[in-house]
Amino acid sequence: MTISLDQARTIVDAALAHGTAQGFNPLTVAVLDPGGAVVALARQDGSGFLRPDLATAKASGVLALGMTNRAIAARAADSPEFFTSVANLAGGKILSVPGGVFVRDAEGTLLGAVGVTGDLSLNDEAAAVAGIEAAGLVAVTGAEQ
Amino acid sequence: MTISLDQARTIVDAALAHGTAQGFNPLTVAVLDPGGAVVALARQDGSGFLRPDLATAKASGVLALGMTNRAIAARAADSPEFFTSVANLAGGKILSVPGGVFVRDAEGTLLGAVGVTGDLSLNDEAAAVAGIEAAGLVAVTGAEQ
Amino acid sequence: MTISLDQARTIVDAALAHGTAQGFNPLTVAVLDPGGAVVALARQDGSGFLRPDLATAKASGVLALGMTNRAIAARAADSPEFFTSVANLAGGKILSVPGGVFVRDAEGTLLGAVGVTGDLSLNDEAAAVAGIEAAGLVAVTGAEQ
Amino acid sequence: MTISLDQARTIVDAALAHGTAQGFNPLTVAVLDPGGAVVALARQDGSGFLRPDLATAKASGVLALGMTNRAIAARAADSPEFFTSVANLAGGKILSVPGGVFVRDAEGTLLGAVGVTGDLSLNDEAAAVAGIEAAGLVAVTGAEQ
C-alpha cells in the first residue's frame, strides 16, 4: 500500500495552512511513498532554494532507515561515524532533526512519510502532524515513544 | 520575478486534469522557478518512481540553458559530445524530448518552467501547456518557432 | 526580480576596492542571483585557487536556506549532523562563517547574495557590505538582528 | 606566469561588448588561469543558470588537456570512449565545441584561457578572441592550425 496523490495533496495543503495560521516562516512540505519517491511537494513563496531537498530528505531518511528522526539523532549521538556513513550512502538524504514523520493508516500500514522544513524543527514537525491528521491518517514522529 | 506557489498549484492541477480528461498514462508535473528549484510537484498514482526526477529534469534543463527541449535536441544532433558535457555539468538534469515548457507572464517576463512526464512526449507537452494557460500565463515550447 | 550584471559588477568593483583601501589580503567576490547562479565573480591576484568556490559557497549557502551565515552557525552548533546533511545536499556549497550577505532593493525584494573570502571573515563581510551599498542596494548580514 | 585580474576584466568587458554590438544572445564569459581556477566571470542578463558552468568548462577543458576545442572534437570523433573517460575525469568540465580559447602573451607564454557561451559556438569564440585582443594579448583557438 502506498499513499495516494489525493491524500498527499490534502496533507500538503493542511500542513502549509497550519504554518500560515501559526505565523511560521515559509514552509516546504514533501510527501513520499514508502520507497522514498516524491508524491507531492509544495514550497511556500520566500523559501530558500534548497528547501525542497531538505523537506524530501527529512521524509526520505526516516523511510530509508525505518527510524524516526529522534531515533536517528540518538544513534548519531552514540556513533557519529554511523551517521556519517549512512548520510553518505543516502546521498545526503537524511536528517536527524524533527520534521520527518511517518504516515500510517488506521490499521497501522505504512503509507509513506512527510517532510517539512522552513521554521524551527519542532514547528516543522507540528505542521507535518497537522497535515497528516487532516487527511484522516496516523502520524508517527517518535515523540510518542 | 518568480512563479508563485498559487500559480504553480493551478498549473499542476490543470495539467493533471488535462491528462486525465485525455486518457493519458498517469502523469507527473513539476513547476520550477527560474533558478531551477521546485515550487510544486505532483505524481499521479501508478507512476514509476523516477518520474519526479524526469519531470524536474525536463523543466530544469530548459532553464539551465535558456533553450527549449527542441533546441537542445538540435544541438545534441549536431554534437553528441556537447550534450554529454552539458548533461554532466547539469547533474543529469536535462532532457532533449518535449515536455519542458517555459512559463512567461503577459509582459514576457520569465517566471519559471514546467516539466511533465508519463505519456508520449508530445502529450506531456500538451498537458504542460494546458496547465500554464489555465493559470493565465504564457507557455513557450519552441514549437512556435 | 534578480540582480543585474551592471549592479553585480558595481558590487564586485566596490568590494575589491574596499579591501585594497583597507589593506586586506587579496579578496575574491562572487555575486549570485536568488537561484544561486553566479552573475559576476572576480579574484584578486595572489589568491588561492579555491577562493572562487569559497566565495560562491558563502553566497549560495545563505540563499539555499534563506538563513544568514550567523544563523547557519547557530544551527550547526545545535546540531552538527544537521550541518553535515545540509552541506551534503548543497554539494558543499554552504559556509557558516561571515562573508555571505543577502542583497535586497529598497522595497525589500531579494535580488541575490554576495560572497567574499580572502581575509578575516568579518573583513570579508565588511567588503561585501561596502560593495552592496556602493550599488545603492541593501545589505543583510544577520548582524542587524 | 598567470593572467592578472586587470587583464581578465578587460577581456570580459570587451567580449561582452562584442556580443552586444553583434546582436548575439546574452553571453557568459569566464577567464581562467593556467591551473583552471576562475579569475573573472560575468553572465549577461537573461542567460540560463548553467551558463557560468558552461563558460568555465569551455576554458577549463582546453587547459586541462592542453588541446583546443577543435582538437578535442577531432579526438572525440576518433574515439568516443576517450572523450567519455576524459569528461568523467574532468567532472564534466570539458567541451568539444568552439568557445574555449587559450590566452598567450606576445612571447608565447600561456597566461590562461577564456570560455564564452550563449550564442552559436563560432560566435562565442569570436567574442572570446575580441576580448583577448582588446587586452593586447594573443588568442589561440586552433582555427589557426
Side-chain angles (χ1 to χ4, degrees):
Chain A
M1 277 214 57
T2 186
I3 201 155
S4 71
L5 176 56
D6 276 351
Q7 291 170 319
R9 273 202 276 215
T10 298
I11 292 172
V12 167
D13 292 351
L16 292 180
H18 178 90
T20 301
Q22 300 287 324
F24 292 169
N25 290 335
L27 297 181
T28 300
V29 183
V31 181
L32 278 55
D33 69 16
V38 174
V39 177
L41 186 151
R43 176 166 64 109
Q44 278 182 321
D45 302 335
S47 303
F49 68 75
L50 198 70
R51 294 287 174 183
D53 293 308
L54 281 173
T56 301
K58 279 196 183 182
S60 186
V62 302
L63 290 165
L65 292 179
M67 291 168 66
T68 66
N69 298 115
R70 286 176 177 75
I72 292 170
R75 284 301 295 276
D78 265 351
S79 170
E81 297 81 12
F82 168 76
F83 185 81
T84 301
S85 297
V86 173
N88 242 301
L89 287 171
K93 287 168 120 179
I94 180 166
L95 276 147
S96 61
V97 296
V101 182
F102 289 107
V103 182
R104 293 184 179 276
D105 67 14
E107 287 74 50
T109 306
L110 179 69
L111 298 181
V114 177
V116 178
T117 184
D119 201 275
L120 302 173
S121 296
L122 288 175
N123 288 341
D124 295 338
E125 181 181 81
V129 172
I132 293 164
E133 291 179 349
L137 299 170
V138 177
V140 177
T141 65
E144 308 88 6
Q145 295 170 352
Chain B
M1 278 209 59
T2 186
I3 201 156
S4 72
L5 176 55
D6 276 349
Q7 290 170 319
R9 272 202 278 214
T10 298
I11 291 172
V12 167
D13 291 349
L16 292 180
H18 177 89
T20 300
Q22 299 288 321
F24 292 168
N25 291 334
L27 296 180
T28 299
V29 182
V31 181
L32 277 55
D33 70 15
V38 174
V39 178
L41 186 151
R43 175 166 67 107
Q44 279 182 320
D45 302 334
S47 302
F49 71 75
L50 199 71
R51 293 288 173 183
D53 294 306
L54 280 174
T56 300
K58 279 195 185 184
S60 187
V62 302
L63 291 166
L65 292 179
M67 291 166 64
T68 64
N69 299 114
R70 286 174 176 77
I72 293 170
R75 286 302 298 275
D78 263 353
S79 169
E81 294 84 19
F82 172 77
F83 187 80
T84 300
S85 297
V86 174
N88 227 310
L89 291 170
K93 288 172 150 187
I94 181 168
L95 274 150
S96 61
V97 296
V101 182
F102 289 106
V103 182
R104 294 186 178 274
D105 67 12
E107 288 74 50
T109 307
L110 178 68
L111 298 181
V114 178
V116 179
T117 182
D119 202 270
L120 301 173
S121 296
L122 288 175
N123 287 341
D124 295 336
E125 181 180 80
V129 172
I132 294 165
E133 292 180 351
L137 299 170
V138 177
V140 176
T141 64
E144 307 86 7
Q145 292 169 357
Chain C
M1 278 211 58
T2 188
I3 202 155
S4 71
L5 177 55
D6 276 350
Q7 291 170 317
R9 273 200 278 214
T10 298
I11 292 172
V12 167
D13 291 350
L16 293 180
H18 178 90
T20 299
Q22 300 287 323
F24 292 168
N25 291 335
L27 298 181
T28 299
V29 183
V31 181
L32 277 56
D33 69 16
V38 174
V39 178
L41 187 152
R43 175 164 67 105
Q44 280 183 321
D45 302 334
S47 302
F49 71 76
L50 199 71
R51 293 289 174 182
D53 293 306
L54 281 174
T56 301
K58 278 195 183 183
S60 186
V62 302
L63 291 166
L65 293 179
M67 291 166 66
T68 65
N69 300 115
R70 286 175 178 76
I72 293 170
R75 285 302 297 277
D78 264 353
S79 170
E81 293 83 20
F82 171 77
F83 187 81
T84 300
S85 297
V86 174
N88 227 309
L89 291 170
K93 289 174 150 185
I94 181 167
L95 276 150
S96 61
V97 296
V101 183
F102 289 106
V103 182
R104 292 185 179 276
D105 66 13
E107 289 73 52
T109 306
L110 179 68
L111 298 181
V114 178
V116 179
T117 183
D119 202 272
L120 301 173
S121 295
L122 288 176
N123 288 340
D124 295 338
E125 180 179 83
V129 172
I132 293 165
E133 291 179 348
L137 300 170
V138 178
V140 177
T141 65
E144 308 86 9
Q145 293 169 353
Chain D
M1 277 214 57
T2 186
I3 201 156
S4 72
L5 177 55
D6 276 351
Q7 290 170 319
R9 272 202 278 214
T10 299
I11 292 171
V12 167
D13 291 350
L16 292 180
H18 178 90
T20 300
Q22 299 288 322
F24 293 168
N25 291 334
L27 298 180
T28 300
V29 182
V31 181
L32 277 55
D33 68 15
V38 175
V39 178
L41 186 150
R43 176 166 65 109
Q44 279 184 320
D45 302 337
S47 303
F49 69 74
L50 199 69
R51 293 288 172 183
D53 293 307
L54 281 172
T56 301
K58 280 196 182 182
S60 186
V62 302
L63 290 165
L65 291 179
M67 291 166 66
T68 65
N69 299 114
R70 285 176 177 73
I72 293 171
R75 286 298 298 276
D78 265 351
S79 169
E81 296 82 13
F82 168 76
F83 185 79
T84 300
S85 298
V86 173
N88 242 301
L89 288 171
K93 288 167 121 180
I94 180 166
L95 275 146
S96 60
V97 296
V101 182
F102 289 106
V103 182
R104 295 184 178 276
D105 67 13
E107 288 74 51
T109 307
L110 179 68
L111 298 181
V114 177
V116 178
T117 183
D119 203 274
L120 301 174
S121 296
L122 288 176
N123 288 340
D124 295 337
E125 181 180 81
V129 171
I132 293 164
E133 292 179 348
L137 299 170
V138 177
V140 176
T141 65
E144 308 87 6
Q145 294 167 356

